Amino acid sequence: MQPPSAVNPVLTLSGEAAYGEFGPFLYTAMGASAAAVVVLVFAGLGAWWFPPGGALVAVLGTILSIVGLFSKRRYRYAALGTLPLHMGLFLLSYTRALS
């Protein structure tokens, strides 16, 4: 007779169970994270060339980064990296637009 632990293997969790498999939302979050990286270039150009537009694009990038936080690990790291950059570009654009 085998012990009960040999019959029922112990499941190990990866730590990503908190986000769950949300189907299409997972892929939407992955796309948002990738888009946040691309929008970063346009927010930087907008902060330099047209600050009011750069502030709006930076807000879009911030929203995309927040949605990207619910994606898989690699995309989540990209979203975590671009979020403070978008926030900084927003503050830069906003202060340049006021002056």
Side-chain angles (χ1 to χ4, degrees):
M1 177 116 197
Q2 293 180 345
S5 62
V7 175
N8 297 328
V10 178
L11 297 175
T12 58
L13 300 176
S14 66
E16 297 202 12
Y19 297 107
E21 178 64 42
F22 296 120
F25 182 70
L26 179 68
Y27 296 105
T28 302
M30 290 167 61
S33 179
V37 174
V38 174
V39 169
L40 187 65
V41 174
F42 292 102
L45 289 173
W48 170 70
W49 186 53
F50 185 62
L56 291 175
V57 174
V59 168
L60 172 66
T62 302
I63 293 169
L64 287 171
S65 295
I66 291 171
V67 172
L69 291 175
F70 295 98
S71 61
K72 293 191 181 249
R73 179 173 290 157
R74 180 175 25 154
Y75 292 96
R76 191 179 321 137
Y77 290 152
L80 278 171
T82 57
L83 183 60
L85 295 173
H86 280 295
M87 293 170 65
L89 283 172
F90 171 75
L91 290 174
L92 176 68
S93 297
Y94 185 73
T95 55
R96 287 194 64 204
L98 289 179
S99 59

